Amino acid sequence: MSTKLAQERITEAKEMRNVYCETLIELAAGNKNIVSLDADLMNSMGMVKFAHHYPERTFDVGIQEANMIGVAAGLSATGKIPFAHSFGPFATRRCFDQLFLSCGYARLNVRIIGSDPGVTAAFNGGTHMPFEDMGIVRNIPNVTILEPVDSTQLRDLLKQTENLYGVFYLRLLRKSAVKIYEDGSTFTIGKGVTLKEGKDVTLVASGIMVDDALKAAEELETKGISVRVVNIFTLKPIDRNLIIQCAEETGAIVTVENHNIINALGSAVAEVVVENMPVPMERVGVNDLFGEVGPQNYLKQRFGLTVENIVTKVNKVLSRKK
Amino acid sequence: MISKDTVKEIKILALHIRMETMKAIGNLGFGHIGGALSITDTIAALYGGAMKYDPKNPQWEQRDWLVCSKGHAGPAIYSALALKGFFPVEELLTLNKPGTNLPSHCDRNLTKGIDMTTGSLGQGASLAVGVALGHKLDGRDNFTYLILGDGEIQEGQVWEAVLFAAQKKLDHLITFVDYNKKQLDGYTKDINDVGDIKSKFEAFGWHGQEIDGSNVIEIIEAIENAKQHKDKPSVIVLHTIKGKGWAFAEQELFNHHMNISRDQMEEALTVLSAELEGLVKE
C-alpha cells in the first residue's frame, strides 16, 4: 500500500462508471476469462463501450437479477471471472439467496457491483436507495466488501480482484467522486488508510462521507480538537488492528457512512471496539430509515449525513470521553 | 439404435442405484426418498453411457456436467457416483452423518463428481445456464445436463433462466423435469398446477420432448434426440412415479421426505434384489 493524499479535494472530471468501464476493458484485454453481466442497466452503468470491445463477453440478461447472479456463478465454475452489475438494492436485497448460496456457499468466484449507494440514488428515490446493501451482504461468510472512495482507489481495487478468488461486493458510486487520493496510490484490501493524524478522536469514514469527514476534521481543528481521519474502504474483512489502535490512541471513535448505521461500518467498528478496546463511540449514518426522493444535497441534510452532524457527534463523544 | 445389452446394463445400474439409495437412507432412518427414486432411471441413463465423465479425474475438462437443481435427489446421484468408481460404495452409508462428504443436498465442494452446489430450489437452473454459457464461450462441446423437479418449476427463477437459455441458443443444455406429480405438501395440481410443462418450455423457445421417465429406452432416445437438436436448448419432461421401486412409498402422498424403518428397508431390498436377479438372468 502506497497512498498519497490529493493536494486538492475537487470533484473528479471522469465519472466512476467510466473508470469502471475503462478498467474492465483494460483487464479484459489481458485476460480472456473476464466477462461482464448486467440486468438491463448497461447504459446507465456506461458499459456500452465494453460491449463494443467484447460483445461475446457481455451478457445483458434483461430484467432478472436472480438469474444474473446464478449465471455469473455458473460461468465462474467454468473458469470465467464475472463482474455482474445492477443498482445496489437489486444486486443485493433482491437476490440475496442467490448471492448467499449460488456464489458464497458454493465457493464460486464472482464480483457483484452494486451502484448508486445510499443517497446518491437521489431522484430514483426510496425504492432504489440502498441503505442496507452492505449490511445484507456482510452476512455471507468470507465475502469481501469494498467501497472505493474515488477513481484512483476504484481502479486499483478492481485490478487487484482479477487475481483473487471468492465473492466480492463492490459498492460503486456511478457519478464523479471527490478526489481523495493522488493518482498512482495503491491500496491493500483489508487495510484502512489513515488520511489525517490526530489524538483526541478518530473519524472512521467510507464512500462519499470521507470528504465530509475531512471537512469536519478541519473545522474541529480550528477549535483546538485534534481529529484523526481513517478511510475504511474494506468493510469486510475489516481492519481490526487499525481500529483497535485508533481506540487506544485517541480514546473515542465516530463512524461516518452513507448507509444505515445498523449492520455496516458503524456496527462493524463497534464490534471490534467493544470486544477489544471499549471507548465511547458515536455513529453518523442513516438512523434506520427508508430512503426517499430528492436531490442528493437535500437527502444528505434529511438523513444527517452532514459536516455539522459529524461535528455534533464528535462533541458528544468527547463529552462522554471525559 | 440402442443395443439390448446397453438397455439391460442401464436397467441393472438403476436397480443398484435404488438399492444403494434405500440402504443409505434406510441406514439413517429418514430422508428424501421419493424424489431420489423418481429420477433414478434418468440418472442411470446418464451415468450408464449418455454422459461423458472420468471417475479417476472428476474435473476432466471434456466431461459433461450435471446440475441437479432438485438438490435433495443427491443420494441417488451419490449412489451412481459410487457404483461408477468416484468413491467407495461403503462411503454411501455416511450420508448426512457428522463430517460426511455426502450431504442431503448436492455440494460441489464435498463430493467427488458433483459439479454444482444446489438445494435452494430454482437456483440450479441459472447455474446450469451459466455453465453451458461458459462452455459455449470457450468453444467447447461439453453438454450440461440440468435436473429440475416439477414442484421446483413453481420458482420464478427457473423461468428467468429458461428465457435466457433460449435467447443464448444454448443447444448443449439438456434439461429434465422430473414430473412425478407430487411436492412436499401434496399433488402439484392441487397446490399450484404446473400443467403442460413441455408446452410451457416450447413457448419459451425450447425444443420439447415428453416421455415415460421410468422407461430407460425412451430416456436414452430422448437424450440422443436432444443432442442432435441445434440452436435451441432442450427439455425432456419425464413422467415418473415418486418413490418408484419402493411400493410403500409409491402409494404415499407425502413421500418427499419419509421415515424408513429397518424392516421397511429390508423388505424393499428383498423386492429389488429379486427384480435384479430376474433381470440378470434374462
Side-chain angles (χ1 to χ4, degrees):
Chain A
M1 185 155 72
S2 159
T3 56
K4 206 172 156 204
L5 291 200
Q7 298 219 319
E8 209 185 346
R9 295 200 309 274
I10 48 162
T11 301
E12 295 181 321
K14 196 173 275 182
E15 291 187 323
M16 293 284 266
R17 59 181 146 195
N18 296 328
V19 175
Y20 172 76
C21 180
E22 283 169 16
T23 311
L24 274 204
I25 289 172
E26 197 184 314
L27 291 175
N31 188 337
K32 69 176 178 59
N33 284 325
I34 287 178
V35 295
S36 163
L37 294 93
D38 209 307
D40 200 36
L41 288 171
M42 275 180 53
N43 276 287
S44 311
M45 189 56 181
M47 279 296 279
V48 173
K49 211 166 138 189
F50 184 96
H52 284 154
H53 273 77
Y54 301 105
E56 75 292 353
R57 287 198 253 163
T58 302
F59 302 109
D60 192 339
V61 301
I63 307 161
Q64 38 175 240
E65 295 76 14
N67 184 47
M68 174 177 75
I69 301 301
V71 169
L75 280 162
S76 84
T78 67
K80 301 293 155 207
I81 307 171
F83 288 75
H85 163 260
S86 184
F87 287 154
F90 312 134
T92 59
R93 197 171 68 212
R94 188 167 184 122
C95 49
F96 182 62
D97 196 36
Q98 286 75 16
L99 291 179
F100 194 93
L101 291 176
S102 291
C103 301
Y105 184 70
R107 271 73 160 180
L108 286 166
N109 189 26
V110 184
R111 289 100 185 89
I112 311 294
I113 319 300
S115 66
D116 284 14
V119 293
T120 71
F123 293 108
N124 272 330
T127 54
H128 288 51
M129 194 164 289
F131 292 146
E132 68 292 326
D133 55 330
M134 293 197 292
I136 292 169
V137 176
R138 200 157 82 90
N139 290 289
I140 303 172
N142 302 320
V143 73
T144 302
I145 302 177
L146 303 167
E147 187 177 23
V149 68
D150 68 4
S151 66
T152 302
Q153 199 172 52
L154 169 62
R155 203 177 278 117
D156 184 54
L157 295 178
L158 270 178
K159 287 181 180 173
Q160 287 187 48
T161 66
E162 182 191 352
N163 297 314
L164 298 170
Y165 189 95
V167 180
F168 295 81
Y169 177 63
L170 192 96
R171 190 183 208 228
L172 185 61
L173 175 70
R174 276 193 298 151
K175 300 170 230 177
S176 289
V178 172
K179 190 173 179 63
I180 302 293
Y181 296 102
E182 209 44 75
D183 297 357
S185 292
T186 57
F187 304 87
T188 304
I189 291 174
K191 296 282 171 212
V193 183
T194 303
L195 299 171
K196 180 187 167 308
E197 286 297 345
K199 54 186 191 336
D200 297 329
V201 60
T202 304
L203 293 175
V204 178
S206 65
I208 60 163
M209 296 312 291
V210 170
D211 180 47
D212 296 276
L214 285 165
K215 281 182 184 150
E218 285 151 12
E219 191 180 315
L220 287 157
E221 293 281 342
T222 64
K223 290 166 187 152
I225 300 166
S226 171
V227 183
R228 183 178 297 183
V229 182
V230 165
N231 172 212
I232 292 287
F233 61 87
T234 314
L235 178 66
K236 189 177 176 182
I238 200 154
D239 189 346
R240 300 173 63 87
N241 291 341
L242 181 62
I243 292 164
I244 295 166
Q245 191 188 342
C246 291
E248 210 165 24
E249 292 174 1
T250 68
I253 289 179
V254 175
T255 54
V256 191
E257 62 190 315
N258 170 27
H259 190 284
N260 194 331
I261 54 169
I262 297 174
N263 289 340
L265 189 64
S267 294
V269 170
E271 288 159 17
V272 175
V273 167
V274 294
E275 283 181 354
N276 297 279
M277 181 59 59
V279 294
M281 233 195 98
E282 293 289 334
R283 294 175 292 169
V284 173
V286 177
N287 199 359
D288 206 17
L289 294 164
F290 292 111
E292 61 181 60
V293 77
Q296 188 170 313
N297 276 340
Y298 158 78
L299 293 167
K300 284 182 81 173
Q301 293 286 335
R302 163 77 182 83
F303 293 109
L305 307 179
T306 58
V307 173
E308 299 75 50
N309 197 31
I310 299 170
V311 169
T312 303
K313 294 278 185 172
V314 165
N315 287 326
K316 189 174 170 199
V317 87
L318 288 175
S319 71
R320 289 172 57 205
K321 190 179 164 185
K322 279 160 198 166
Chain B
M1 191 62 196
I2 315 140
S3 77
K4 274 188 171 176
D5 285 351
T6 305
V7 172
K8 187 173 169 181
E9 269 173 40
I10 292 171
K11 283 183 176 173
I12 290 173
L13 178 60
L15 278 168
H16 279 297
I17 293 172
R18 287 203 161 85
M19 290 169 74
E20 294 305 328
T21 305
M22 281 303 299
K23 279 189 228 168
I25 294 179
N27 178 55
L28 199 67
F30 54 86
H32 295 103
I33 192 72
L37 292 177
S38 62
I39 196 65
T40 290
D41 298 294
T42 295
I43 289 167
L46 288 171
Y47 285 95
M51 207 164 65
K52 280 200 284 185
Y53 62 91
D54 178 3
K56 298 283 169 278
N57 183 13
Q59 299 300 313
W60 181 37
E61 269 208 7
Q62 282 152 46
R63 77 188 187 278
D64 295 329
W65 287 50
L66 174 62
V67 178
C68 183
S69 191
K70 43 173 279 184
H72 53 275
I77 301 176
Y78 306 156
S79 299
L81 291 171
L83 290 163
K84 286 296 174 183
F86 281 82
F87 48 84
V89 173
E90 301 78 65
E91 200 179 322
L92 291 171
L93 294 182
T94 70
L95 180 73
N96 286 341
K97 302 257 170 81
T100 187
N101 288 321
L102 307 176
S104 238
H105 298 83
C106 297
D107 190 323
R108 64 185 284 274
N109 295 296
L110 287 178
T111 316
K112 276 184 194 160
I114 292 292
D115 289 315
M116 196 50 80
T117 299
T118 53
S120 182
L121 295 173
Q123 295 197 25
S126 303
L127 288 162
V129 169
V131 169
L133 205 52
H135 291 317
K136 188 177 177 176
L137 194 52
D138 282 344
R140 292 194 293 268
D141 62 0
N142 314 48
F143 279 92
T144 304
Y145 294 96
L146 166 65
I147 296 173
L148 296 168
D150 52 356
E152 179 177 18
I153 67 170
Q154 291 162 348
E155 286 281 3
Q157 187 179 352
V158 169
W159 300 102
E160 292 187 4
V162 167
L163 194 62
F164 187 59
Q167 173 72 22
K168 290 292 159 189
K169 300 183 171 38
L170 298 178
D171 54 16
H172 277 46
L173 174 64
I174 298 175
T175 297
F176 302 97
V177 180
D178 185 5
Y179 203 176
N180 58 34
K181 321 292 185 297
K182 291 174 189 169
Q183 57 191 111
L184 194 146
D185 275 342
Y187 290 110
T188 49
K189 70 172 168 41
D190 295 335
I191 291 164
N192 194 352
D193 196 357
V194 291
D196 183 348
I197 299 172
K198 182 165 92 81
S199 296
K200 288 185 172 69
F201 274 79
E202 284 170 343
F204 276 68
W206 285 50
H207 168 244
Q209 299 178 80
E210 192 160 9
I211 61 165
D212 175 357
S214 305
N215 183 321
V216 165
I217 298 173
E218 286 191 30
I219 298 168
I220 302 167
E221 283 177 352
I223 294 172
E224 279 312 310
N225 192 12
K227 280 182 179 172
Q228 303 310 319
H229 227 87
K230 300 292 170 220
D231 293 333
K232 281 180 176 184
S234 263
V235 68
I236 301 169
V237 179
L238 304 162
H239 288 277
T240 54
I241 295 162
K242 201 162 181 174
K244 169 83 178 168
W246 178 25
F248 177 77
E250 286 181 27
Q251 286 152 23
E252 283 286 301
L253 173 57
F254 300 105
N255 62 5
H256 177 78
H257 186 278
M258 291 174 75
N259 292 327
I260 302 177
S261 70
R262 283 273 149 182
D263 287 349
Q264 283 176 316
M265 178 185 81
E266 296 298 345
E267 203 178 312
L269 288 174
T270 306
V271 173
L272 290 166
S273 300
E275 204 179 323
L276 181 62
E277 216 170 302
L279 192 60
V280 173
K281 276 184 194 157
E282 262 178 29

